Amino acid sequence: MSHSGRHRREFISVTSAALAGIAGAPALAVGVDAAAIAQAAAGGGQDPDLIVVNAKVYTMNTRAPRAEAFAVTAGRFTAVGSSSDIKGLAGRTTQTFDAKGMTVVPGFIDCHIHANGEVLLNEVLVGNPFEVEFVSIRSIIGKLRERAQQTPAGTWVEGFFFDDTKVSDKRTLNIHDLDEVSKDHPVIVRHRGGHTYFYNSKAFEMAGITRDTANPMGGTYDKDADGQLNGRVTDLASAPFGKVGVRRTYTPAEAEARARDGIAHISRQFARYGLTGVHHQGGDLAAIQDVRARGDLKHRVSFETGGRVLDALIAAGIQTGFGDEWIKFGATSEHTVDGSFSERTMAISTPFPGVTPPYYGNITETQDTLNAWVERVHRAGIQVNCHANGDVAIDMYLTAMERALAVLPQANARPKITHCTLVNPGLVRRMQAIGAVPALFTTYAFYNPDKFAYYGEEMMKNCMAFRTLVDAGIYACAGSDFSPGPFAPLMGIQGMVTRRGWDGKAWGENQKISVSEALAVYTYNGAYASREEGLKGSITPGKLADYVVLGDDPHTVDVEKIKDIQIVRTVVGGDVSHQA
């Protein structure tokens, strides 16, 4: 035992010595205690709680990119190396996991998710939230009609996760379909993209919208060939519908229970797909804390918020980074500047191909209003985050951020651009200059190829531009945008690598990146986006022991089957959150 103890101390001293260079200056920039990291790397004199051996470890640490094994103590990686070295660290109480040649990567991080577990548990799902599946309009009508029969007249009947290009009828929903659901209830079907809505005649009547109602700024009331309302409403034009009708209400106890159950449910789903960290777009912070307290939170939360909650945080002087390793205040939630990529309402500088009269998408905020909001948040020490899909919206956001940085310069501001879908060389240069962090759609390449024809190949060459951004040295991160897109990281990695969809068609192949680059997008870059790259994002001594065991190696498997690789085990802080 004395020999193995000496071996262990010598090996840990080597990993500890390299730690400062591996973690680098950014670790100090995010407030990680270098002394604490060094102590963790030294294991505090303890035997490791766990060793993982005989694995193909892709560490995402550029100084030591491959390994066979690692040790975990008190929730952190304490040594990384060969199987023989790591076996020598084991003590009497150390557990050993023999990976038997399986692949291990850092835990996946998704930087943009609407964690609406309550919807998954309680609402009418008219489409598949997780996979490509075609549904019929009759099935949608049937599900909604069943809910209407259980709902008092005048109360909203709602459907979720509709996808207009995943309909077996090869057409989208219209007002006449939803009139079949009910003439006594207002009916809404929400596109999973979150920017378009489909209503029945009763809903239009209650909202006071007719064929003669003018389109407001940032939205449209769509018409059929005869000039009649067809049921589709986009972006800000939906506001009047939110002021009419009755919606189900719950007692405080019921609402709290629903929120807790929803968070626990979606946390299990995240773990099942290999996610160890998620940037939440709003949500019930109390419920997240309660779920953590009862031991059911299986992923780390970067909490992003807006509205009154953001106002309260600013008033209290709370800045980005407040919290702990499990729940931390990150950037703001996405402050919306334009419409949707998947629903074809994003603001672009050239008109949408084949649309008459010419349509350029929806801008949802004026430049002056945006400037004021960005400066206020930036001055408060909070990481700014805006939803900007089209090149027009990205330009507006960059203009506002450049202005704010000129007023109050700040190193490492890392303004987050949620979606950042359509770029050009000028925008990329400006993003480089201010250190912007774009959170791009990942699963869309596989899930949504049936929408890319609306843009055409020339425009798609500059959409979801991972290759362009990686080559420019920009830390592009993963932003699946669930519910608009599935959040399966392996589906996202396959899409980034192949640019090929479920239908076999490829779009914008010039933007393909390698498997290693795609893994970086989902791991290290995800940590960088929240200023936590000194804490997680790679399998490195001193960092949080978040990792995923895969049933096959995405580097060697057929690239068209990456999405089908089994998530064998998901581990957060050394604890198993999912086991196949």
Side-chain angles (χ1 to χ4, degrees):
M1 288 299 292
S2 62
H3 176 76
S4 65
R6 179 173 176 273
H7 181 99
R8 177 161 62 249
R9 287 193 299 273
E10 288 175 348
F11 184 74
I12 290 175
S13 71
V14 172
T15 58
S16 300
L19 182 60
I22 293 170
L28 300 178
V30 297
V32 177
D33 187 333
I37 287 182
Q39 184 179 5
Q46 304 173 33
D47 291 333
D49 299 317
L50 169 73
I51 61 171
V52 175
V53 297
N54 301 322
K56 292 173 67 175
V57 183
Y58 293 92
T59 68
M60 306 317 296
N61 173 1
T62 57
R63 295 194 178 187
R66 293 292 305 276
E68 296 175 333
F70 53 81
V72 175
T73 309
R76 291 181 183 255
F77 299 113
T78 48
V80 181
S82 69
S83 290
S84 59
D85 282 332
I86 299 300
K87 285 177 181 178
L89 304 180
R92 285 180 299 177
T93 60
T94 302
Q95 294 184 343
T96 299
F97 175 69
D98 186 346
K100 298 180 180 179
M102 289 189 289
T103 296
V104 179
V105 299
F108 297 128
I109 300 170
D110 194 312
C111 295
H112 186 71
I113 282 184
H114 303 266
N116 46 5
E118 285 185 68
V119 170
L120 296 175
L121 282 177
N122 300 298
E123 302 297 345
V124 178
L125 308 183
V126 299
N128 188 324
F130 304 114
E131 306 292 343
V132 175
E133 181 184 345
F134 280 72
V135 301
S136 70
I137 288 176
R138 296 312 311 173
S139 74
I140 295 172
I141 293 172
K143 287 181 177 182
L144 293 171
R145 187 180 284 160
E146 182 178 352
R147 176 58 63 92
Q149 290 169 353
Q150 305 165 9
T151 303
T155 300
W156 282 94
V157 173
E158 302 182 74
F160 293 80
F161 284 95
F162 175 67
D163 189 325
D164 66 306
T165 59
K166 305 294 186 299
V167 181
S168 58
D169 304 68
K170 300 187 185 305
R171 69 171 179 85
T172 194
L173 275 175
N174 61 45
I175 193 170
H176 307 296
D177 299 321
L178 298 184
D179 284 345
E180 288 190 48
V181 173
S182 176
K183 296 186 183 301
D184 300 319
H185 302 79
V187 177
I188 175 176
V189 172
R190 301 172 186 273
H191 195 288
R192 68 177 300 161
H195 289 254
T196 57
Y197 315 88
F198 299 81
Y199 296 95
N200 68 346
S201 295
K202 181 68 172 180
F204 279 100
E205 174 191 329
M206 294 173 69
I209 306 299
T210 71
R211 60 178 292 178
D212 299 319
T213 302
N215 290 331
M217 174 194 165
T220 60
Y221 301 113
D222 291 1
K223 312 286 199 322
D224 62 21
D226 297 325
Q228 301 295 327
L229 293 167
N230 66 13
R232 184 175 184 259
V233 174
T234 71
D235 290 306
L236 299 185
S238 64
F241 297 90
K243 301 173 184 177
V244 299
V246 177
R247 285 174 169 79
R248 286 177 293 166
T249 58
Y250 306 94
T251 67
E254 289 171 336
E256 291 167 6
R258 283 169 57 94
R260 288 193 297 266
D261 291 346
I263 288 295
H265 175 73
I266 202 164
S267 190
R268 290 191 295 271
Q269 305 311 309
F270 292 155
R272 182 163 68 98
Y273 283 92
L275 285 166
T276 60
V278 171
H279 293 204
H280 281 232
Q281 295 303 290
D284 190 326
L285 184 57
I288 295 171
Q289 294 176 87
D290 288 345
V291 170
R292 177 192 178 183
R294 74 186 195 191
D296 289 337
L297 188 64
K298 299 180 181 299
H299 69 285
R300 301 186 192 277
V301 175
S302 180
F303 188 74
E304 301 185 341
T305 191
R308 289 180 294 177
V309 176
L310 178 61
D311 292 341
L313 292 172
I314 292 174
I318 294 176
Q319 299 183 346
T320 290
F322 182 81
D324 63 16
E325 297 158 1
W326 278 94
I327 305 172
K328 184 176 292 187
F329 176 40
T332 67
S333 59
E334 55 176 335
H335 185 80
T336 305
V337 183
D338 72 339
S340 164
F341 177 37
S342 64
E343 298 158 276
R344 287 86 70 193
T345 68
M346 70 181 191
I348 55 180
S349 56
T350 57
F352 279 77
V355 177
T356 303
Y359 176 59
Y360 293 82
N362 298 333
I363 285 289
T364 57
E365 187 151 272
T366 66
Q367 186 71 62
D368 287 345
T369 302
L370 180 60
N371 289 348
W373 183 85
V374 167
E375 181 179 337
R376 175 172 177 255
V377 171
H378 177 65
R379 283 185 179 276
I382 296 172
Q383 186 180 9
V384 183
N385 175 21
C386 282
H387 160 124
N389 265 305
D391 56 343
V392 172
I394 298 169
D395 170 75
M396 289 178 64
Y397 177 28
L398 291 175
T399 296
M401 198 68 224
E402 289 159 349
R403 177 182 174 278
L405 286 166
V407 172
L408 183 66
Q410 178 189 335
N412 256 353
R414 302 186 191 180
K416 188 175 176 183
I417 310 176
T418 291
H419 309 321
C420 195
T421 300
L422 176 61
V423 300
N424 58 52
L427 294 177
V428 173
R429 285 192 295 270
R430 292 167 66 191
M431 290 164 60
Q432 282 177 303
I434 65 171
V437 179
L440 275 65
F441 295 113
T442 49
T443 56
Y444 270 28
F446 179 81
Y447 181 82
N448 269 333
D450 38 19
K451 298 177 176 65
F452 301 155
Y454 292 99
Y455 294 96
E457 173 62 14
E458 285 307 305
M459 197 176 296
M460 286 303 302
K461 287 179 179 179
N462 294 301
C463 286
M464 303 182 297
F466 282 103
R467 177 80 273 149
T468 296
L469 295 170
V470 169
D471 287 348
I474 293 171
Y475 288 92
C477 60
S480 68
D481 197 26
F482 184 83
S483 57
F487 55 68
L490 292 173
M491 180 192 291
I493 289 170
Q494 178 172 318
M496 288 186 278
V497 170
T498 68
R499 297 285 289 205
R500 191 175 303 280
W502 60 265
D503 58 0
K505 296 179 182 178
W507 296 85
E509 290 185 276
N510 60 305
Q511 295 296 346
K512 291 193 294 187
I513 58 176
S514 70
V515 170
S516 293
E517 289 167 330
L519 281 171
V521 166
Y522 260 108
T523 57
Y524 185 87
N525 292 10
Y528 183 91
S530 56
R531 307 175 185 171
E532 294 179 289
E533 73 276 15
L535 190 64
K536 57 188 180 181
S538 67
I539 298 175
T540 301
K543 290 192 178 184
L544 297 169
D546 301 347
Y547 61 92
V548 181
V549 180
L550 302 176
D552 212 332
D553 185 348
H555 297 82
T556 58
V557 74
D558 180 347
V559 293
E560 302 292 348
K561 296 181 179 179
I562 292 174
K563 68 178 180 60
D564 301 319
I565 294 174
Q566 184 182 35
I567 304 292
V568 176
R569 176 176 285 193
T570 305
V571 178
V572 184
D575 293 328
V576 176
S577 61
H578 166 76
Q579 178 70 50

